[in-house]
Amino acid sequence: MVALYLAGPDVFLPHAQAVGAAKKELCAAHGHAGLFPLDSDLPVASGAGVATLIYRANIAMIHKSAAVVANLTPFRGPSADAGTVFEIGYALALGKPVFAYANVAADYRARVIDSHGPLVATAAGEWACDGMAVENFGLHDNLMIAESIAGQGWEMIVHAAPAEAIFTDLQAFEACLKQVSAHFRA
Amino acid sequence: MVALYLAGPDVFLPHAQAVGAAKKELCAAHGHAGLFPLDSDLPVASGAGVATLIYRANIAMIHKSAAVVANLTPFRGPSADAGTVFEIGYALALGKPVFAYANVAADYRARVIDSHGPLVATAAGEWACDGMAVENFGLHDNLMIAESIAGQGWEMIVHAAPAEAIFTDLQAFEACLKQVSAHFRA
């Protein structure tokens, strides 16, 4: 049994607790223990603010986990949720394996075109309407994200979920759990 | 002299090398050594792809640095650049101090309203048009980002740069260098 920190913007869903419960059930079905960010009991008596307590609780859960399964589905822009991306960087530096999935198939460049309009191509590269270069490596997100997953020896799971289900479809999440099992069995 | 990894979406500017040089000059003026992501000489002979080499070079520079100064100015959405956010998580887990700034003063909630339109308020929270909750802690970004900086004992520098200079104005960057000096002198 592997303790898995379940990172992702799932916590922002109206039915976040139900999605967390469904993810934890799938973890259990694969013989693992899922830790969902909303699991933590925040100490009410502390003088610190709620945001500080959530931060500390999430960091403590990452330390307690043997690995992370991250939902890198694009969130409010062409990249993954900032909190999730922070957490995968943090976990990797601790030497914990990170498994990741996204429920949108288009690559980063295609998503910038979708959100920002056509790119301008010059000899020096391709530029979005914000005047900044657009990475064109065929990767799913900023290269630091995509390469951090691939650099461990497995690929991020990219799945084209129906538009209305990109934050609830758990098929790619379950594929990550199979990667987890294979990794820890090896 | 402190070796500082200079994280940020500055690398996507058309004149990225010039901005990197200006940042390194400011570091030197404050007695520090700036390491800019584009500094690395990528080994051309390697079989790995360019994205892989850039990833490895950036990770190596973070390991070589004593601290990170991160540009968390919002990039292609209401949050900071995903690569930069990954890097601050990575550095913090290594125990390296992270100093950060943003050149846009509006907080995260205000920026989501700006990019996604008015929020819908219910007893359970505030919701954006994407159907997902919006954090309302008065923080500058996702709480994992904002709290990770504040949790070290200093604040992120937030500066209202002119709209045309949000990726080039170095006033807040220089304020971070003063935080660096105070931290390492203490």
Side-chain angles (χ1 to χ4, degrees):
Chain A
M1 196 189 74
V2 180
L4 298 171
Y5 181 70
L6 307 179
D10 317 48
V11 294
F12 301 123
L13 285 164
H15 57 305
Q17 294 283 13
V19 171
K23 282 188 150 184
K24 288 164 74 173
E25 267 177 48
L26 277 174
C27 288
H30 286 264
H32 306 307
L35 302 173
F36 195 61
L38 301 180
D39 286 348
S40 49
D41 289 321
L42 300 178
V44 179
S46 162
V50 174
T52 304
L53 296 177
I54 297 173
Y55 173 76
R56 289 182 193 160
N58 289 352
I59 290 290
M61 274 195 273
I62 295 171
H63 279 271
K64 237 168 61 176
S65 303
V68 171
V69 179
N71 178 355
L72 296 181
T73 301
F75 183 68
R76 292 184 182 149
S79 281
D81 168 52
T84 306
V85 166
F86 175 91
E87 290 171 341
I88 70 170
Y90 193 95
L92 276 165
L94 295 181
K96 296 184 191 279
V98 174
F99 303 85
Y101 70 96
N103 277 339
V104 167
D107 73 3
Y108 178 73
R109 180 177 172 279
R111 296 200 306 272
V112 173
I113 293 171
D114 193 46
S115 60
H116 285 66
L119 308 183
V120 175
T122 71
E126 291 185 309
W127 310 88
C129 63
D130 54 17
M132 311 279 276
V134 179
E135 288 184 5
N136 184 13
F137 296 118
L139 296 174
H140 196 269
D141 207 325
N142 179 297
L143 74 86
M144 295 306 290
I145 319 306
E147 290 291 329
S148 74
I149 305 301
Q152 302 171 102
W154 52 84
E155 292 300 323
M156 179 173 161
I157 308 285
V158 176
H159 167 64
E164 71 281 6
I166 60 168
F167 287 109
T168 50
D169 186 315
L170 296 182
Q171 193 171 315
F173 173 73
E174 195 164 10
C176 285
L177 296 181
K178 291 177 187 163
Q179 290 181 319
V180 170
S181 298
H183 175 74
F184 283 94
R185 203 166 41 225
Chain B
M1 194 190 76
V2 181
L4 297 171
Y5 180 70
L6 307 179
D10 318 48
V11 294
F12 301 123
L13 286 163
H15 57 304
Q17 294 284 10
V19 171
K23 283 189 150 182
K24 290 164 74 173
E25 267 176 49
L26 276 174
C27 288
H30 286 264
H32 306 308
L35 301 174
F36 195 61
L38 302 180
D39 285 351
S40 50
D41 289 320
L42 299 178
V44 180
S46 163
V50 174
T52 305
L53 296 176
I54 296 172
Y55 174 76
R56 290 181 192 161
N58 289 353
I59 291 291
M61 274 195 274
I62 295 171
H63 279 272
K64 237 169 61 176
S65 301
V68 171
V69 180
N71 178 357
L72 296 181
T73 301
F75 182 67
R76 294 185 182 148
S79 281
D81 169 51
T84 305
V85 166
F86 174 91
E87 290 172 341
I88 69 171
Y90 192 95
L92 276 165
L94 294 181
K96 297 184 191 276
V98 174
F99 303 85
Y101 70 97
N103 278 339
V104 167
D107 73 4
Y108 177 73
R109 180 177 172 279
R111 296 200 305 274
V112 172
I113 293 170
D114 193 46
S115 60
H116 286 65
L119 307 184
V120 174
T122 72
E126 291 184 309
W127 311 88
C129 62
D130 54 16
M132 312 277 278
V134 179
E135 289 184 5
N136 185 13
F137 297 118
L139 297 173
H140 197 270
D141 207 325
N142 180 296
L143 74 86
M144 295 305 292
I145 318 307
E147 290 291 329
S148 75
I149 305 302
Q152 304 171 100
W154 51 84
E155 292 300 322
M156 179 174 161
I157 308 285
V158 175
H159 167 64
E164 71 282 6
I166 61 166
F167 287 109
T168 50
D169 186 314
L170 296 182
Q171 193 172 315
F173 172 74
E174 194 163 11
C176 285
L177 296 181
K178 289 177 189 164
Q179 288 182 319
V180 170
S181 297
H183 175 75
F184 283 93
R185 203 166 42 226

